Amino acid sequence: MSRFDRISAISLVRPQFFGRVMRITLPALLLCGTAYAQTAPTQTAPTQTTPTPAAPPPGAPPPSAGIAPAPADPVVARVNGTNIRQSDLRAAAQAMPDNARGVPPQMLYPMLLEQAVDGQVLLLAAKKAGLEHDPVVAKQMADASDRALQTAMLGREIGPLLTEDALKARYDRDIASKPGQEEVHAKHILVADEPEAKKIIGELKKGGDFAALAKKYSTDPGGAQGGDLGFFRREEMVPEFAGAAFAMKPGEISSVPVHTQFGWHVIQLVERRTAAPQTFEAARDELRQKIIQDSVAAVIARAKQGVSVELFNPDGSPVAPTADPAAPAKP
């Protein structure tokens, strides 16, 4: 029995258990992901047998005339005259946590409906108690409003840049159109001091086996595998190590130890290659994040134009105009 089957079985036998789960998770809905919106619109109400209407009298208008079509966003509940619509439930379902997304819509609907009604009832009670005038609550409401506007602004500007066509265009420009990156396959032995590294180089010159010496001397966890680092690109290693490795020829062992922040390295270059560009599927998520980061920075930069910004230190003194805004403030 799968995890989902067990959850379904529990909820069918003990509905009150499932209700408690939903009451715990639903208050946090606005912090989470998507589900019901992708399935709910395709669900239909249980089939009911409807009597065939009698034939209209001669000269009567067609049966459909004057009959309003079913609303696209029907009212599903009404609390003191305030409508709760199907779209409200879909919005709540879109924010459901991952562990509830597989719940069948026919089970999910009554739970979401109950929570929507409960939320509206609580809202009425809070307003009746005048909580919106509480300074702390008012500040929280204002902050939530500000965050919604900020999110809407970013969504409007960045959303069109994240379509599949936009991602593919960015992939073609930044990855597919450029030559593959050079990679090297290397091994290394890492020790704490230069004299020991020089001693190992001496043993290698006398015919010592690199993998055996790595297992014997290397303090790097990879020493147990003979110090093999596999293939890597230049930017994946610290500059000192990458500079030495990429300057070597296949089969060559570093003639002098290479010093980095981790210690002293003896390097053996195994081979070089030019790696093929990443596929679109492999690069998709990284491209998406890069577009989001670049676009957020661009949107903020445009928004700052013509806006006065003053910075202050923690003690309230103004930050010097020449100071770098990105630099940490004085303690």
Side-chain angles (χ1 to χ4, degrees):
M1 181 181 285
S2 69
R3 180 183 176 189
F4 174 71
D5 291 332
R6 289 196 297 272
I7 293 174
S8 298
I10 291 172
S11 62
L12 289 173
V13 176
R14 298 176 58 194
Q16 70 276 18
F17 171 85
F18 188 75
R20 287 199 299 272
V21 173
M22 294 305 295
R23 287 186 178 90
I24 292 170
T25 58
L26 288 176
L29 289 179
L30 293 179
L31 303 176
C32 311
T34 63
Y36 182 76
Q38 298 173 354
T39 58
T42 64
Q43 302 300 316
T44 58
T47 302
Q48 297 180 355
T49 302
T50 305
T52 303
S64 60
I67 299 177
D73 188 15
V75 173
V76 293
R78 187 173 288 117
V79 180
N80 266 17
T82 298
N83 290 336
I84 298 173
R85 295 186 175 274
Q86 190 181 84
S87 58
D88 297 320
L89 302 193
R90 282 201 295 267
Q94 285 179 336
M96 289 187 65
D98 292 341
N99 63 357
R101 294 186 186 180
V103 178
Q106 63 270 24
M107 294 174 61
L108 186 59
Y109 176 84
M111 302 294 177
L112 290 172
L113 185 60
E114 180 184 359
Q115 293 297 318
V117 170
D118 290 351
Q120 188 62 33
V121 168
L122 280 174
L123 178 60
L124 290 172
K127 289 182 176 180
K128 185 176 181 180
L131 290 181
E132 71 269 32
H133 304 300
D134 181 290
V136 174
V137 176
K139 178 64 166 61
Q140 292 171 342
M141 292 169 63
D143 289 346
S145 176
D146 289 347
R147 284 193 297 272
L149 286 170
Q150 293 162 4
T151 300
M153 181 66 184
L154 291 175
R156 188 186 73 173
E157 297 291 321
I158 299 174
L161 305 178
L162 299 177
T163 64
E164 199 71 3
D165 288 343
L167 289 172
K168 287 179 179 176
R170 182 70 171 255
Y171 169 79
D172 291 339
R173 189 194 78 184
D174 292 355
I175 298 178
S177 64
K178 296 183 178 179
Q181 289 185 289
E182 184 182 19
E183 297 180 338
V184 296
H185 177 192
K187 300 178 180 179
H188 81 134
I189 299 171
L190 175 64
V191 292
D193 56 66
E194 186 177 18
E196 186 176 14
K198 288 182 175 180
K199 184 184 80 169
I200 293 170
I201 291 175
E203 291 188 39
L204 289 168
K205 287 181 178 179
K206 294 176 183 178
D209 180 75
F210 195 97
L213 291 173
K215 292 177 182 178
K216 181 178 179 180
Y217 293 111
S218 186
T219 60
D220 184 76
Q225 286 75 48
D228 198 331
L229 296 169
F231 279 98
F232 55 87
R233 298 189 298 273
R234 185 182 292 270
E235 66 270 15
E236 293 178 313
M237 296 293 178
V238 293
E240 302 87 350
F241 188 97
F246 276 82
M248 295 168 64
K249 298 177 182 178
E252 185 179 358
I253 294 173
S254 53
S255 58
V256 295
V258 177
H259 186 229
T260 71
Q261 65 201 69
F262 303 104
W264 296 84
H265 306 260
V266 177
I267 303 173
Q268 180 185 45
L269 190 74
V270 180
E271 57 181 316
R272 316 175 76 97
R273 73 179 184 189
T274 299
Q278 277 184 299
T279 64
F280 174 71
E281 289 71 22
R284 189 179 185 282
D285 289 345
E286 186 176 345
L287 280 171
R288 190 175 188 277
Q289 290 304 314
K290 185 68 167 62
I291 290 174
I292 291 173
Q293 292 171 2
D294 292 349
S295 301
V296 167
V299 171
I300 292 174
R302 289 196 299 270
K304 280 184 176 179
Q305 294 178 3
V307 175
S308 173
V309 177
E310 298 177 80
L311 302 179
F312 300 88
N313 293 307
D315 62 1
S317 61
V319 174
T322 56
D324 180 1
K330 295 185 295 184

